[in-house]
Amino acid sequence: MKTLPTTRRWSSRAVRRLASRPVMLVTLALGVAGAAACSTLGRASFKEPDVQLREFTITGLGLTGGSVDVVLQVYNPNGYKLDALKMTYQVDVDSIKLGDGELDGRFVVPEKDSSIVRLPVRFTYAGLGAAGRSMLNAGTINYRVRGDFTVATPIGNFTRPYDRRGRYSSVGGNGR
C-alpha cells in the first residue's frame, strides 16, 4: 500500500506573512507609480518665466573689455513661487555676443509676480562697439538674453532654457 505524502501544516503567522508580501509589493508599486505621475504632471503644468531686459550700466573698463550690470525683470506665471537656485546667461547685441556669466546666488520670484535680477556681465569691446553704434544710429539696441535656470518648486527642481529677444530703447531705458 502506497502512503500519501503528508501535507505541511502552516501556522497562521506564516500564512499572514506570505499573504502580506504581495500586498506590500502592490502598495510599493502604486506609490512609485503615483510619485512618477505627479512629477510628470507637475512638469507638464510648469509655465516658463518671462525674462525681459530692463536696463544696463557700465561698471568698469579695461584694456580688452569691461563689465556691465544687466538688469532683468523675471515674471513668474505659475501659481507658486519659484526659488531660483542657479542661472546662466549670455547677452547678445544685434548678433554679436556682448558677454556671458553665471549667477549662483538664489533669488525668489513670487507666484504671478515679478522680481528684478541684476547680472554682472564681462564684455569685449567688439560687443560694446556694436551696441554703441546701434544706440547712436537708431536710439535702440536689438538684444537677445539666453541661458538656463534651475528653480526649486513644490513639485521638484527644474532646469529649463530661456531665450528672449527684444529692443532696448535709450528713451526711458525700457526693453520691449
Side-chain angles (χ1 to χ4, degrees):
M1 180 154 182
K2 204 175 200 184
T3 60
L4 295 171
T6 59
T7 58
R8 182 172 178 198
R9 291 193 150 263
W10 292 86
S11 70
S12 61
R13 184 179 194 185
V15 169
R16 276 192 307 247
R17 202 172 345 142
L18 284 174
S20 70
R21 283 187 184 164
V23 171
M24 285 189 325
L25 290 174
V26 168
T27 303
L28 180 63
L30 287 175
V32 169
C38 284
S39 176
T40 301
L41 182 61
R43 289 180 196 273
S45 69
F46 178 76
K47 295 176 189 158
E48 302 287 334
D50 182 35
V51 179
Q52 292 190 11
L53 176 69
R54 284 291 158 218
E55 67 180 70
F56 63 93
T57 307
I58 297 175
T59 56
L61 297 173
L63 294 175
T64 59
S67 59
V68 63
D69 276 350
V70 175
V71 178
L72 302 176
Q73 179 176 351
V74 180
Y75 174 74
N76 174 14
N78 295 290
Y80 46 83
K81 74 176 182 175
L82 298 178
D83 186 9
L85 307 174
K86 178 179 164 185
M87 182 175 185
T88 64
Y89 51 89
Q90 178 176 319
V91 180
D92 299 334
V93 174
D94 289 323
S95 60
I96 299 171
K97 178 180 171 182
L98 177 65
D100 59 9
E102 184 174 309
L103 184 65
D104 282 328
R106 294 178 87 140
F107 62 92
V108 175
V109 185
E111 65 182 69
K112 304 218 184 275
D113 202 357
S114 298
S115 287
I116 299 297
V117 180
R118 186 173 304 275
L119 306 174
V121 177
R122 299 198 64 75
F123 66 84
T124 64
Y125 285 121
L128 186 62
R133 281 189 302 280
S134 182
M135 188 64 81
L136 287 173
N137 292 335
T140 62
I141 297 173
N142 292 322
Y143 70 88
R144 180 179 183 192
V145 180
R146 59 190 157 141
D148 60 45
F149 56 90
T150 302
V151 294
T153 71
I155 51 180
N157 292 353
F158 297 104
T159 298
R160 292 287 191 265
Y162 67 92
D163 192 339
R164 174 72 178 177
R165 295 174 189 263
R167 177 169 286 168
Y168 179 83
S169 172
S170 61
V171 180
N174 59 350
R176 295 190 235 329

